[in-house]
Amino acid sequence: MSEDTRVGDRLLRLRLGNGLGQQELAERAGIAAGSISMAERNLSWLDPRALDAVAAVLDVTPAYFHRPGAEPTFTTPQLRAYADASQRTVDRVLHDSRTALDAFATLDLRRVADTLPIFDGDPNDADEIERAAADVRTLAGIKEGDRVGNAVRAAERLGVVVLPMDSELGRHLGMSLRINDVPVIRVSRSSTSPEHAVPGDRQRFTVAHELGHLVLHAGRSQPVSAADATRRENEAHRFASALLAPGDAVINDLGGARVSLTALTRLKEKWGFSIKAFVTRFRQLGVIDDDHARSLFKQISARRWNKQEPIEVGNESAVWLQKTLTQGTQPTFERNVSAVSTSIGLSAAYFHRWLDWSPAAASTTEATVSVLTPRPSSRQQPTRPIAPVHRLPVRHVAND
């Protein structure tokens, strides 16, 4: 990659990853909107003062745009599944993930080896999907018949980089893709708002579902129709159910009892798998018929359990990045974060965003623009005035 195209490609990635439009970035940097468009298409260069201003808004150093290295390649997520999310929201998560993986590669952070299998069976055969999920359980070190203790960390043991998201993608809580051939899952963290809180059982199912996409749909193009997208979603659902609630084990735990809400509540407590998901699971396994399943769903609705079921399952978080950065050369974790971010020209706010699994503050918008802390310009103030730089507002991130 030539330096000419490197600047434009990185500018595009950082702008999209921070949820900014071209006009918005230009206004905050005090430059013409057309110059952003031309630079991203590699049709012209930003002059040094303009690049300084843009870098300040995006909270990187100007040198970040020029450092060696190719842009991270990526597979396209199953985007039709996110049809109810805005394109800006999808782009923000996708390109922020590219920035994260690019940073980890530049820092040469030691990752867990990728052991995810690639499914070569028939996705229309439910038994083959069940077997694929059983294989993944084994590879993740989960004993036959055992509960998946922590779905996020099971994914990490398989070599998946799991990072938090600040908001949902429409109705979806996750996204999966490969970046530089590294499997990546983004998962919504919970919220301080009861209306937007993410139950732990739903978060676990999301991780398992995205693992299903990575295993079952590797190398496949985007769905060509809504029906195709629905079919792939159902395949990933089946995989997630088999991973978290293996058939023989949950049937054995049922112990021949009638499938009732009382029985399902007991099973949820053991398996960390929602009551509604158990209804579907036992229908899949032929334990109950359609009429029985409909009756249970009606009872769930009558008890207002659709949004909040009994038995709280705790939220999960990733540990790989935290542990890796803890092993740095600085005396404290925060100084390690500051050192690695400075070394590659990114603000520490980027790393805090990738590390923060605490419940997100309540928001009235679908997705917030990434919040970055100000970075002083690397150049002297120009002798003639230019438009002020409008930086993104500062977000206070709890220290670990």
Side-chain angles (χ1 to χ4, degrees):
M1 176 184 291
S2 71
E3 182 165 335
D4 295 352
T5 60
R6 187 184 302 150
V7 173
D9 293 345
R10 288 177 182 168
L11 174 60
L12 175 63
R13 166 167 56 81
L14 289 170
R15 177 179 65 78
L16 293 175
N18 282 291
L20 294 170
Q22 290 179 341
Q23 182 69 37
E24 189 175 5
L25 174 58
E27 289 176 356
R28 294 186 183 203
I31 62 177
S35 61
I36 299 292
S37 175
M38 295 288 283
E40 288 182 350
R41 290 182 291 157
N42 297 301
L43 297 178
S44 69
W45 295 358
L46 292 175
D47 65 52
R49 290 192 305 114
L51 188 62
D52 265 11
V54 167
V57 175
L58 297 174
D59 213 9
V60 299
T61 62
Y64 180 89
F65 294 100
H66 298 288
R67 63 177 176 76
E71 277 294 274
T73 60
F74 62 100
T75 59
T76 305
Q78 307 291 309
L79 291 181
R80 277 188 177 269
Y82 310 107
D84 57 339
S86 71
Q87 187 62 49
R88 176 177 287 200
T89 303
V90 173
D91 282 344
R92 186 172 64 91
V93 176
L94 192 159
H95 294 287
D96 180 65
S97 302
R98 293 179 66 209
T99 297
L101 270 291
D102 179 66
F104 304 158
T106 302
L107 293 166
D108 198 23
L109 299 186
R110 184 176 180 181
R111 296 187 302 100
V112 178
D114 174 11
T115 57
L116 269 184
I118 302 302
F119 182 71
D120 60 359
D122 180 2
N124 296 309
D125 188 330
D127 289 339
E128 291 200 30
I129 293 177
E130 295 270 340
R131 285 192 289 271
D135 289 344
V136 169
R137 285 175 58 89
T138 300
L139 289 167
I142 303 162
K143 294 180 180 179
E144 184 177 357
D146 280 2
R147 166 183 164 141
V148 177
N150 187 305
V152 171
R153 294 177 194 179
E156 289 190 304
R157 290 196 298 273
L158 294 162
V160 181
V161 174
V162 187
L163 301 172
M165 291 194 307
D166 287 339
S167 62
E168 299 182 19
L169 292 166
R171 294 176 292 107
H172 296 266
L173 294 179
M175 173 188 282
S176 54
L177 70 162
R178 282 183 174 268
I179 301 174
N180 286 345
D181 205 33
V182 176
V184 179
I185 292 177
R186 300 299 297 260
V187 186
S188 291
R189 54 196 179 112
S190 194
S191 170
T192 56
S193 165
E195 181 69 20
H196 297 97
V198 179
D201 49 274
R202 190 178 174 202
Q203 187 186 56
R204 284 163 56 83
F205 192 89
T206 297
V207 173
H209 177 95
E210 297 303 330
L211 278 174
H213 280 309
L214 288 170
V215 171
L216 301 175
H217 305 135
R220 295 175 64 179
S221 58
Q222 289 189 50
V224 296
S225 66
D228 189 22
T230 299
R231 184 163 49 252
R232 294 191 196 184
E233 286 294 286
N234 289 337
E235 292 162 4
H237 282 335
R238 183 70 184 240
F239 179 96
S241 296
L243 187 78
L244 297 174
D248 289 344
V250 296
I251 290 174
N252 184 63
D253 273 357
L254 188 60
R258 176 175 171 78
V259 179
S260 64
L261 295 189
T262 299
L264 296 181
T265 300
R266 174 175 55 83
L267 290 173
K268 176 184 179 179
E269 187 170 16
K270 175 176 179 179
W271 291 94
F273 195 67
S274 78
I275 293 170
K276 286 185 69 175
F278 260 123
V279 174
T280 300
R281 183 63 173 147
F282 282 130
R283 181 67 194 95
Q284 290 173 345
L285 297 171
V287 176
I288 60 176
D289 59 20
D290 288 341
D291 288 340
H292 193 165
R294 277 193 294 270
S295 173
L296 289 168
F297 284 133
K298 287 179 180 179
Q299 293 176 56
I300 290 169
S301 181
R303 286 168 170 75
R304 299 182 179 179
W305 288 0
N306 285 317
K307 286 192 174 181
Q308 186 173 4
E309 294 183 353
I311 306 298
E312 181 178 352
V313 177
N315 291 113
E316 300 179 350
S317 60
V319 297
W320 167 75
L321 182 57
Q322 180 94 21
K323 284 184 175 180
T324 301
L325 295 179
T326 300
Q327 296 167 1
T329 59
Q330 299 300 313
T332 67
F333 176 76
E334 285 300 327
R335 288 178 66 176
N336 276 325
V337 172
S338 177
V340 297
S341 59
T342 299
S343 71
I344 60 174
L346 285 174
S347 163
Y350 282 89
F351 283 86
H352 283 302
R353 183 163 72 238
W354 302 326
L355 287 160
D356 187 7
W357 288 89
S358 64
S363 173
T364 57
T365 59
E366 176 190 20
T368 56
V369 171
S370 302
V371 181
L372 305 174
T373 53
R375 176 187 294 279
S377 172
S378 63
R379 298 180 180 274
Q380 294 182 344
Q381 286 292 102
T383 55
R384 59 186 179 87
I386 62 173
V389 171
H390 303 285
R391 298 182 177 89
L392 301 177
V394 176
R395 181 179 70 181
H396 298 287
V397 179
N399 292 331
D400 293 303

